[in-house]
Amino acid sequence: SSQNCSFPIAMCNTIMASGMAEMSKLIEGGMSHRDAVAKMFKENRHVIFTGNGYSSEWPVEAQKRGLPNLHNTPLALATFTSEKAKKLFKDMGIFTPEECDAKKEVMFENYCTTLGVEVRTLIDMVETGILPACAKDLSKYKDAPKLAGDRDSTYLGIKAETDKLKALWDKKPHDLEKEATYIADQVKPQMLAIRKLVDKAEGLLEAGLYPYPTYEEMIYSHHS
């Protein structure tokens, strides 16, 4: 990943420090070590899950426990400036409320910029590489169209879905938070739709026509 690990580590350390500070208050207030630990465990045990956190059952279980399901970046970033978060960061001496606001804006801008690069790169790769390769491959079946199989529908589908992506991108909002949400909810699913068709085309194109390294080449080329 290109992301710096220092920020998530800082968040984990902040959570730990906050928990230890709360326990320290209980103990310094006269509660025994055992009772302090037991009290905190009882109050927070609903966040503990020992099953498969990647399973489809966990989000359902989390909802039953009243836990938030921030399943994409914009949803998570929006909580960074909640009153609860700002108080936590201020109490722990990590960020001032103003710094929280600034940090959130920077993270939203980075998300939108990064996804913008990915969208434009995908469109360029499809229009300058994939579609020309598809056209060359399809032309080989003009005298035997029954042998073409799903090529026509797959290749036309790539063009149609790419046009949809371009139209969606042109309609994106110009407010950072709204743009990020729009990208997550509208643009990224469209990118996946294109990727699904391109993956299918990779298995249909004549060997040598696919303009980029195939999965097989990337995984097994070192064996040759």
Side-chain angles (χ1 to χ4, degrees):
S1 173
S2 62
Q3 296 187 35
N4 193 313
C5 65
S6 63
F7 182 67
I9 290 175
M11 296 304 98
C12 290
N13 288 340
T14 302
I15 294 168
M16 175 61 75
S18 176
M20 292 298 99
E22 183 62 28
M23 183 177 292
S24 177
K25 289 179 184 178
L26 295 175
I27 295 172
E28 291 172 2
M31 190 176 290
S32 69
H33 291 72
R34 180 197 176 282
D35 290 346
V37 171
K39 182 178 186 297
M40 291 193 68
F41 177 73
K42 182 178 180 180
E43 291 176 350
N44 298 284
R45 65 181 303 175
H46 65 294
V47 306
I48 301 174
F49 181 68
T50 56
N52 180 5
Y54 294 97
S55 68
S56 58
E57 291 79 16
W58 172 227
V60 177
E61 177 62 27
Q63 186 176 21
K64 291 179 181 177
R65 300 184 186 191
L67 301 175
N69 180 19
L70 308 177
H71 60 272
N72 63 39
T73 299
L75 286 176
L77 295 184
T79 68
F80 198 77
T81 53
S82 67
E83 291 303 315
K84 180 180 179 181
K86 284 185 174 181
K87 184 178 185 305
L88 170 65
F89 289 129
K90 183 179 180 180
D91 291 346
M92 292 295 104
I94 309 299
F95 294 125
T96 65
E98 294 77 17
E99 287 172 332
C100 287
D101 292 333
K103 180 67 176 176
K104 185 179 78 167
E105 183 174 351
V106 169
M107 290 190 291
F108 268 119
E109 184 176 15
N110 182 64
Y111 178 82
C112 293
T113 300
T114 300
L115 267 295
V117 170
E118 292 181 5
V119 168
R120 290 188 290 272
T121 300
L122 175 59
I123 293 172
D124 286 346
M125 291 177 71
V126 168
E127 294 189 333
T128 64
I130 299 298
L131 289 179
C134 291
K136 290 179 183 178
D137 185 63
L138 192 61
S139 68
K140 297 177 183 294
Y141 294 89
K142 61 183 179 180
D143 295 327
K146 292 183 179 180
L147 297 180
D150 294 335
R151 285 173 171 79
D152 189 58
S153 60
T154 301
Y155 300 166
L156 288 175
I158 293 173
K159 175 66 167 64
E161 296 301 332
T162 302
D163 287 343
K164 288 181 184 178
L165 176 61
K166 292 164 68 176
L168 282 172
W169 189 247
D170 288 341
K171 295 177 182 177
K172 69 182 185 299
H174 295 290
D175 173 85
L176 276 178
E177 292 194 37
K178 291 180 180 178
E179 180 180 345
T181 300
Y182 179 83
I183 289 172
D185 294 343
Q186 304 292 330
V187 176
K188 288 190 71 177
Q190 186 59 32
M191 294 172 73
L192 290 175
I194 296 171
R195 186 259 172 90
K196 184 178 180 180
L197 287 170
V198 171
D199 283 350
K200 184 177 180 180
E202 182 182 333
L204 296 173
L205 286 165
E206 178 185 352
L209 282 181
Y210 196 73
Y212 309 112
T214 65
Y215 287 125
E216 183 177 357
E217 290 170 342
M218 289 189 288
I219 295 173
Y220 300 113
S221 61
H222 63 285
H223 291 297
S224 59

